[in-house]
Amino acid sequence: MELYGIPITSRLLLGTARYPSPAILSAAIAAARCDIITVSLRREARSGPAFRDILHATGARILPNTAGCHTVKEAVTTAHMARELFNTPWIKLELIGHADTLQPDVFQLVEAARILAEDGFQIFPYTTDDLIVGERLLAAGCQVLMPWGAPIGSGQGLRNLPALRSMRAHFPGVPLIVDAGIGAPSHAAQAMEAGFDAVLLNTAVALAADPVTMAGAFAEATAAGHAAHRAGLMPPRDMAAPSTPIFGMAELA
């Protein structure tokens, strides 16, 4: 997998918020074997340089995000600050439009993506599973799409799997990363089995009773789901089909 020309080995992206301690966060990132971790600029601003040093020490590539932004101006300003702070053109673009569901405001999202792309940013937009919105984001300059599986932090899994499958079929050459709503390793495996390129999650690991073990479970589930997709899943059938054919069996008088 390549994201903006960068080879990526792991197909699990991990968030860095809400962990019990910096030590557990570092151990979870190691157990997840992830190449990319996301961090909110607002979280970094509260935690200071020490937190930034912890993130850099993991060896993972940092993907800053615009979490908490509700307007184009907020998102663009936050993205510029993140680029200066983390010295990266990568930005996970979040523009929230609904306070309860945290659903992205796709109209402002497309506009912010256009502005940032023109300024040299490489954008990872948190979006819905709407095909037209996806086309608009690609036209604005995005090369990756990150549709939600369910509302952020809900742990509901893939609430609209048919729509996600349609998105995968509609954008065959575009890296697609399921972002938000994944609550169990089985959800991650399901996304990968559907042909998605990666999954991004935070809460399911950070708030687990044992975040480090859970991070490892997600790493294994993501790898297994991707391997299953490449191997070729059997199609579901309406009727039973015997695994042992009756042709050639002995006839007993």
Side-chain angles (χ1 to χ4, degrees), residues 15 34 44 50 54 80 90-91 110 112 114-115 149 175 193 204 226 228 231 236:
C34 54
E44 201 284 335
I54 291 171
H80 279 88
W90 281 18
I91 191 73
V110 171
R114 181 190 62 79
I115 294 170
E193 288 170 357
H226 177 64

Side-chain angles (χ1 to χ4, degrees), residues 24 69 75 83-84 161 175 188 240:
I24 292 176
C69 292
R83 181 166 65 179
E84 181 176 343
L161 186 55

Side-chain angles (χ1 to χ4, degrees), residues 97-136:
H98 194 277
D100 293 329
T101 65
L102 301 182
Q103 180 172 331
D105 182 331
V106 295
F107 303 100
Q108 293 199 90
L109 181 67
V110 171
E111 176 62 14
R114 181 190 62 79
I115 294 170
L116 292 173
E118 290 177 352
D119 197 29
F121 282 88
Q122 296 172 340
I123 305 158
F124 295 70
Y126 165 59
T127 183
T128 65
D129 50 30
D130 187 282
L131 301 182
I132 305 304
V133 174
E135 290 178 346
R136 296 291 187 271

Side-chain angles (χ1 to χ4, degrees), residues 42 65-71 73-76 78-79 94-97:
R42 297 186 180 195
N65 67 55
T66 62
C69 292
H70 294 266
T71 68
K73 183 178 180 180
E74 275 187 305
V76 170
T78 302
E94 296 184 28
L95 243 166
I96 301 304

